[in-house]
């Protein structure tokens, strides 16, 4: 406990009580949109040394909780909804509350109390690290040892538990092919020889044993059901949340516990019962052949010279020129999906995207949260936010927030004039000849050739409008080299550019 130290009888307001309580909980940053009654809380928070970042969009403010959970913080709690919000976050303290929404009545904010009678209680303790039952570990090891076509799926739970060292040891020791889920990219580097992300569909469809390390069988993994998975696949589920065990598929083995600790248990068991899956097996040959074929197809698209550019060409140049250790933020439909395959991650907890719920409008909020913390803790690290033009529109006014706090974020808008697909200027003008755009323009279309980069320029950042690979390269080089100024590169691509043909529909269950 920490008690007030001011003179007897000094009065403090409810806002000051809230700010002091947050400070006692090691809160370092606060994101919000102020208004009656929370303006006073933000002022009081600044007075005790908490940094306040004023946002422009409530959706973006709420999105901070996802960002802080995914990259820097842990264990959010939710405390209601209000028209004016503050999100308080604590950094780099594992196992303790990381964020909260503050919804406070005005009469409490203005309350006056005697400070000498106030005590602020640190109410949250780090949880104990949980281990799986030894019998469950032994059962899992036996199933893996007898598998012919194993697959390790690494989920963001592995990133949360900071399990990267032990998971890499497990991959190397046993020779297991692995597939990362989107925000687990980098737990084991994407350029590791056992990464089979480029053969994702083949790996999922034909694996006879799947080890889920903090990954969940939701829509991102097609619920673990046929035809994306074998009917007889054996699933070994490792998760810290008991309520997640057995969702959609009945596991062959359940290991309830902290991902890092349970992985260590598996390593200990494999050290006594060595397993090295042969790299020359038919399973590995099949996976490598598929990886090679898919990479060749992507490379062919990336090196196309035709204009307007396609997605793959844009991502090829981005990959070549951005820092390997940057924090990547991505959202959009095709932009996010193709970016997951084309932009590798080499370090854990360096990627943020729309994640499990596929929510659009979160990208700029994620980037702001990441940039605020990076500015204080790792100023050499760049934050790069890659947006579809539709996704950018959800929270585009946060560009002003970025410029107001002088956060050197690089925003890249991959602009196809629409949602999924769009129309070029000629097709748009022809469409308007048929009448009111509200009745004749396709619902997925946006205004062609919108100059989103001018929004950045309007607030004092640097904006680039590019149409060719050379223009893109020059803009990327200039933006990456400038570590002081926010920038936005508006990249025009073919409005009809799409992902390369997929073996399965996006969401298999809806197409059964």
């Amino acid at each position: 406990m920490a008690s007030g130290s001011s003179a007897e009888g000094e009065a403090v307001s409810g806002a000051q009580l809230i700010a002091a309580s947050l400070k006692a909980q090691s809160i370092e940053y606060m994101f919000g949109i102020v208004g009656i009654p929370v303006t006073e809380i933000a002022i009081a928070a600044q007075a005790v040394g908490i940094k306040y970042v004023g946002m422009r969009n409530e959706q973006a403010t709420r999105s901070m909780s996802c960002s802080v959970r995914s990259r820097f913080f842990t264990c959010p709690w939710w405390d209601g909804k209000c028209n004016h919000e503050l999100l308080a976050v604590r950094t780099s303290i594992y196992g303790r509350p990381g964020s909260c929404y503050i919804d406070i009545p005005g009469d409490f904010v203005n309350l006056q109390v005697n400070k000498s009678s106030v005590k602020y209680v640190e109410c949250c303790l780090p949880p104990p690290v949980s281990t799986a039952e030894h019998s469950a570990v032994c059962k899992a090891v036996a199933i893996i040892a007898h598998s012919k076509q194993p697959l390790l799926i690494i989920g963001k739970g592995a990133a949360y538990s900071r399990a990267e060292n032990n998971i890499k040891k497990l991959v190397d020791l046993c020779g297991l092919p692995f597939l990362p889920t989107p925000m687990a990219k980098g737990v084991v580097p994407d350029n590791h020889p056992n990464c089979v992300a480029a053969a994702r569909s083949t790996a999922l469809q034909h694996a006879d044993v799947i080890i889920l390390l903090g990954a969940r069988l939701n829509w991102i993994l097609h619920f673990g059901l046929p035809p994306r998975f074998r009917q007889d696949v054996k699933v070994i589920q490792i998760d810290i949340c008991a309520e997640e065990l057995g969702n959609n598929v009945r596991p062959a083995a359940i290991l309830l516990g902290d991902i890092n600790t349970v992985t260590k248990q598996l390593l200990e068991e494999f050290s006594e019962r060595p397993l090295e899956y042969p790299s020359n097996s038919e399973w590995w040959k099949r996976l490598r052949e598929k990886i090679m074929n898919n990479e060749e197809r992507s490379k062919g698209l990336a090196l196309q010279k035709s204009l307007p550019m396609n997605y793959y060409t844009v991502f090829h140049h981005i990959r070549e020129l951005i820092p390997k250790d940057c924090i990547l933020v991505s959202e959009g439909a095709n932009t996010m999906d193709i970016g997951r395959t084309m932009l590798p991650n080499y370090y854990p907890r360096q990627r943020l995207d729309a994640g499990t719920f596929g929510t659009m409008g979160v990208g700029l909020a994620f980037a702001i949260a990441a940039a605020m913390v990076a500015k204080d803790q790792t100023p050499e690290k760049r934050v790069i936010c890659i947006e579809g033009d539709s996704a950018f529109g959800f929270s585009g006014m946060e560009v002003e927030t970025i410029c107001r706090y002088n956060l050197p974020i690089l925003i890249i808008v991959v602009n196809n004039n629409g949602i999924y697909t769009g129309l070029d200027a000629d097709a748009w003008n022809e469409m308007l000849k048929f009448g009111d755009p509200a009745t004749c323009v396709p619902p997925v279309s946006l205004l062609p050739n919108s100059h989103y980069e001018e929004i950045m320029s309007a607030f004092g950042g640097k904006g680039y409008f590019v149409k060719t690979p050379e223009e893109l390269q020059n803009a990327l080089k200039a933006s990456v080299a400038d570590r002081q100024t926010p920038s936005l590169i508006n990249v025009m691509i073919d409005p009809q550019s799409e992902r390369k043909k997929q073996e399965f529909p996006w969401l298999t269950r809806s197409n059964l």
Side-chain angles (χ1 to χ4, degrees):
M1 293 190 299
S3 62
S5 59
S6 297
E8 185 74 24
E10 180 183 346
V12 295
S13 68
Q16 289 172 308
L17 283 175
I18 294 167
S21 296
L22 293 173
K23 186 67 174 179
Q25 291 283 337
S26 301
I27 296 297
E28 297 180 39
Y29 301 87
M30 182 178 283
F31 301 86
I33 300 176
V34 296
I36 298 172
V38 300
T39 305
E40 289 83 356
I41 301 174
I43 294 171
Q46 288 180 317
V48 297
I50 296 173
K51 293 186 176 182
Y52 171 74
V53 178
M55 305 292 289
R56 299 299 301 269
N57 176 14
E58 286 188 355
Q59 180 194 8
T61 307
R62 290 170 184 252
S63 298
M64 292 295 182
S65 67
C66 299
S67 177
V68 296
R69 286 165 59 189
S70 302
R71 170 61 180 84
F72 297 107
F73 317 109
T74 58
C75 303
W77 73 86
W78 173 267
D79 193 20
K81 301 176 181 179
C82 60
N83 291 328
H84 302 293
E85 299 176 325
L86 296 176
L87 170 65
V89 298
R90 166 198 285 121
T91 66
S92 302
I93 298 179
Y94 179 70
R96 299 169 65 190
S99 61
C100 67
Y101 283 91
I102 302 173
D103 184 6
I104 305 295
D107 54 355
F108 181 84
V109 171
N110 297 316
L111 175 71
Q112 297 290 315
V113 297
N114 189 320
K115 188 170 183 179
S116 64
S117 65
V118 175
K119 293 184 182 293
Y120 311 108
V121 180
E122 182 76 62
C123 60
C124 300
L125 300 174
V129 176
S130 56
T131 59
E133 293 183 359
H134 181 67
S135 59
V137 175
C138 293
K139 183 177 182 180
V141 166
I143 293 172
I144 296 170
H146 287 90
S147 67
K148 302 296 184 184
Q149 298 177 174
L151 176 66
L152 179 66
I153 299 181
I154 304 172
K156 62 175 176 275
Y160 289 157
S161 68
R162 286 169 160 72
E164 53 268 19
N165 292 334
N166 281 331
I167 292 176
K168 186 175 184 302
K169 289 178 184 177
L170 181 66
V171 168
D172 292 337
L173 178 68
C174 299
L176 295 171
F178 74 89
L179 175 71
T181 60
M183 285 200 290
K185 281 166 62 68
V187 169
V188 180
D190 284 344
N191 61 350
H192 190 285
N194 287 33
C195 180
V196 295
R200 184 180 189 272
S201 292
T202 298
L204 294 178
Q205 188 182 17
H206 298 288
D208 63 351
V209 170
I210 289 177
I211 308 102
L212 295 174
L213 270 174
R216 292 163 183 174
L217 295 176
N218 52 31
W219 67 271
I220 290 177
L221 289 173
H222 314 280
F223 308 104
L225 300 174
R228 293 302 300 262
F229 291 76
R230 284 172 49 153
Q231 187 74 43
D232 62 347
V233 63
K234 293 181 179 179
V235 174
I236 298 168
Q237 190 170 8
I238 305 169
D239 207 291
I240 198 169
C241 296
E243 64 269 21
E244 292 293 337
L245 300 173
N247 284 342
N248 293 308
V249 170
R250 184 184 295 276
I254 290 174
L255 285 72
L256 176 62
D258 172 72
I259 304 298
N260 190 36
T261 305
V262 175
T263 305
K264 185 177 180 181
Q265 289 179 275
L266 290 171
L267 284 169
E268 290 170 351
E269 198 66 26
F270 278 123
S271 68
E272 297 180 6
R273 303 165 57 183
L275 169 68
E276 184 174 358
Y277 196 76
S279 60
N280 60 351
S281 66
E282 289 301 316
W283 178 228
W284 261 121
K285 289 178 183 177
R286 184 175 191 175
L287 291 172
R288 290 195 182 103
E289 180 180 359
K290 192 64 177 179
I291 288 170
M292 185 178 299
N293 289 341
N294 282 340
E295 287 180 344
E296 285 299 317
R297 290 172 62 197
S298 295
K299 183 178 179 181
L301 290 168
L303 297 181
Q304 284 184 358
K305 302 296 184 182
S306 58
L307 294 176
M309 294 180 285
N310 64 52
Y311 282 104
Y312 293 85
T313 302
V314 171
F315 281 117
H316 168 73
H317 292 293
I318 293 173
R319 182 179 63 202
E320 294 298 308
L321 293 171
I322 62 174
K324 285 189 174 183
D325 65 344
C326 68
I327 297 171
L328 270 178
V329 181
S330 182
E331 67 170 332
N334 291 332
T335 298
M336 183 174 65
D337 291 342
I338 298 171
R340 285 171 176 169
T341 63
M342 291 290 291
L343 298 179
N345 287 84
Y346 304 98
Y347 304 96
R349 295 172 296 280
Q350 302 287 87
R351 179 183 173 84
L352 295 163
D353 66 20
T356 304
F357 297 107
T359 307
M360 294 297 105
V362 300
L364 295 184
F366 288 178
I368 291 168
M372 281 297 297
V373 179
K375 187 176 182 179
D376 291 338
Q377 297 186 4
T378 54
E380 74 286 352
K381 193 175 294 293
R382 298 304 304 272
V383 177
I384 297 176
C385 182
I386 303 174
E387 304 265 311
D389 51 332
S390 171
F392 176 77
F394 280 78
S395 299
M397 194 53 69
E398 296 301 346
V399 167
E400 187 271 337
T401 308
I402 291 170
C403 290
R404 184 171 6 119
Y405 293 100
N406 196 33
L407 301 173
I409 297 168
L410 166 55
I411 303 170
I412 302 171
V413 178
V414 184
N415 188 348
N416 69 344
N417 300 335
I419 305 168
Y420 306 115
T421 59
L423 300 173
D424 61 28
D426 292 339
W428 174 269
N429 292 329
E430 285 297 314
M431 195 70 66
L432 293 182
K433 293 179 181 178
F434 292 96
D436 187 337
T439 60
C440 65
V441 168
V444 296
S445 297
L446 299 174
L447 194 66
N449 302 325
S450 295
H451 283 264
Y452 299 112
E453 79 285 352
E454 293 186 1
I455 300 175
M456 178 64 82
S457 300
F459 295 119
K462 293 183 179 179
Y464 303 87
F465 185 76
V466 306
K467 291 184 174 182
T468 68
E470 294 74 23
E471 292 172 346
L472 176 58
Q473 290 173 349
N474 292 335
L476 283 167
K477 289 175 183 176
S479 299
V480 170
D482 188 344
R483 295 177 171 269
Q484 305 299 320
T485 311
S487 56
L488 189 153
I489 304 174
N490 186 14
V491 187
M492 302 307 302
I493 67 167
D494 183 349
Q496 298 301 309
S497 178
E498 295 188 277
R499 297 181 66 181
K500 64 179 185 290
K501 184 175 176 57
Q502 303 297 297
E503 295 180 32
F504 288 92
W506 169 74
L507 187 58
T508 303
R509 176 177 277 188
S510 67
N511 291 278
L512 291 176

